[in-house]
Amino acid sequence: MSERRERKTPNRKSNKDSVPTPKPKLHPRNKHRGRYDLPQLVKGTPELGAFVQPNKYGDDSIDFANPAAVKALNKALLKHHYKLEFWDIPENYLCPPIPGRADYIHHMADVLCASNYGKIPTGEKVTCIDVGVGANCVYPIIGTQEYGWSFIGTDIDSISLKSAQTIIDQNPNLVGKIELRRQPEPKDIFYGILRKEDRVDFTICNPPFHRSPDEAQESASRKVNNLAKKKVADPVLNFGGRSKELWCDGGERKFIQTMIRESKNFGESCYWFSSLVSKSSNLAVILESLEKADAVEVKTIPMGQGNKSSRIVAWTFLTPAQQKEWKNTRWKEKEESTKTLE
């Protein structure tokens, strides 16, 4: 997780005198567009204070190459912005950057909005499947608190699911809004999870990026060295991550192609399927796979945080008539609880 800092002008003396700098690449509704208000975050989560120190420009910051610092920052952000009373993850499990996760949620709200006469469907009857919810449970946390949606979180890892369930159980504002389902077959995505009678409004996924453990380790070395501004002999990922979270056979390309193939068999059970596509070189192959699968509509949505660029690919198999029926039966009744897109 990285946070770009603006160079201080000579007359600035401290972080509190600095004007928050917007991050224009983040979604307009993202609560993390400004600089982190570290004094306020430390006030709510005192343990973060141990990691706050001046950077080379004299601004208060944290060492983003330090996994413990990143975890403390995430805990503070989730408590401050999403009203959590408890959040923790097991050692070495993925600790994702909150601003980027929030961006995905807000962009998918826009996708639903465009499918619903310009209004974002909100409330617990709007259901999302988070493929690979992880031990952190971050996507459901943000989605339930920002839009009131319900979530089904899936994972192949029992420790991740146990951790996510603990987070849910310890936060009254999450109880009853997030259901967890274990994927019994590691090579499957929707099979064994999504039933024919289920109706979900959209899916989200942050697929394993790398194709092998060696590729994951090489990427970790490069990332940590860049953050530390020096060569680190035995780098530890600042955001953590177990093997199942970081790599799979064929990497994200094969994972998303499997998702596309399986999603076609549930084309009437879900309005919008979606996934992050981190590597731009994978996009053309993924779009070709969607064309071969006869997806009715495909959206490619650019995303960015700092110097990193990514994108969401969303697709539906519903015909225009089926789309109209979906929004008129599932979303129209919730008209009073919809949010107009700003």
Side-chain angles (χ1 to χ4, degrees), residues 88-274:
D88 196 10
I89 55 174
E91 187 176 359
N92 296 326
Y93 274 72
L94 187 65
C95 185
I98 305 301
R101 295 302 195 259
D103 244 34
Y104 193 170
I105 291 292
H106 291 302
H107 280 297
M108 288 309 298
D110 290 352
V111 171
L112 298 186
C113 176
S115 302
N116 190 45
Y117 311 110
K119 292 183 178 180
I120 301 173
T122 60
E124 62 185 14
K125 290 186 179 180
V126 177
T127 303
C128 169
I129 287 184
D130 178 8
V131 177
V133 65
N136 57 78
C137 201
V138 164
Y139 282 129
I141 289 168
I142 297 172
T144 58
Q145 300 311 297
E146 291 285 60
Y147 299 105
W149 296 331
S150 297
F151 278 78
I152 298 170
T154 77
D155 212 290
I156 62 174
D157 186 79
S158 58
I159 296 176
S160 290
L161 291 173
K162 182 178 180 181
S163 172
Q165 189 63 58
T166 299
I167 292 170
I168 295 166
D169 293 341
Q170 294 295 318
N171 291 284
N173 55 345
L174 302 181
V175 173
K177 298 179 180 179
I178 305 167
E179 175 190 351
L180 301 179
R181 297 181 184 178
R182 185 173 181 271
Q183 171 55 265
E185 176 49 64
K187 293 184 178 180
D188 286 341
I189 297 172
F190 297 118
Y191 295 144
I193 294 293
L194 188 55
R195 311 177 186 102
K196 287 287 186 181
E197 65 272 17
D198 282 341
R199 293 295 179 268
V200 297
D201 299 282
F202 67 107
T203 73
I204 58 175
C205 179
N206 192 41
F209 179 72
H210 302 291
R211 294 172 294 181
S212 69
D214 289 342
E215 185 179 88
Q217 185 59 39
E218 181 181 348
S219 175
S221 299
R222 186 167 56 250
K223 180 179 177 66
V224 173
N225 288 337
N226 287 340
L227 285 170
K229 306 297 183 185
K230 62 181 180 180
K231 187 173 181 59
V232 179
D234 187 17
V236 176
L237 276 175
N238 64 324
F239 53 85
R242 307 286 287 185
S243 60
K244 296 173 185 177
E245 297 174 300
L246 300 179
W247 73 272
C248 66
D249 181 33
E252 73 169 7
R253 177 189 296 187
K254 185 174 180 180
F255 190 97
I256 296 172
Q257 287 179 311
T258 300
M259 182 184 295
I260 293 169
R261 184 177 66 254
E262 291 190 15
S263 68
K264 185 173 183 178
N265 293 312
F266 298 97
E268 296 185 5
S269 301
C270 177
Y271 196 132
W272 286 104
F273 297 91
S274 79

Side-chain angles (χ1 to χ4, degrees), residues 17 32 40 43 54 68 78 80 82 94 100 102 105 121 126 160 162 172 245 247 269 282 288 300 307 313 326 331:
D17 297 323
H32 312 287
Q40 188 67 29
K43 184 178 179 181
L78 291 169
H80 180 72
Y82 305 105
L94 187 65
I105 291 292
V126 177
S160 290
K162 182 178 180 181
E245 297 174 300
W247 73 272
S269 301
N282 288 334
E288 182 181 352
T300 302
N307 295 321
V313 173
W326 187 288
W331 298 340

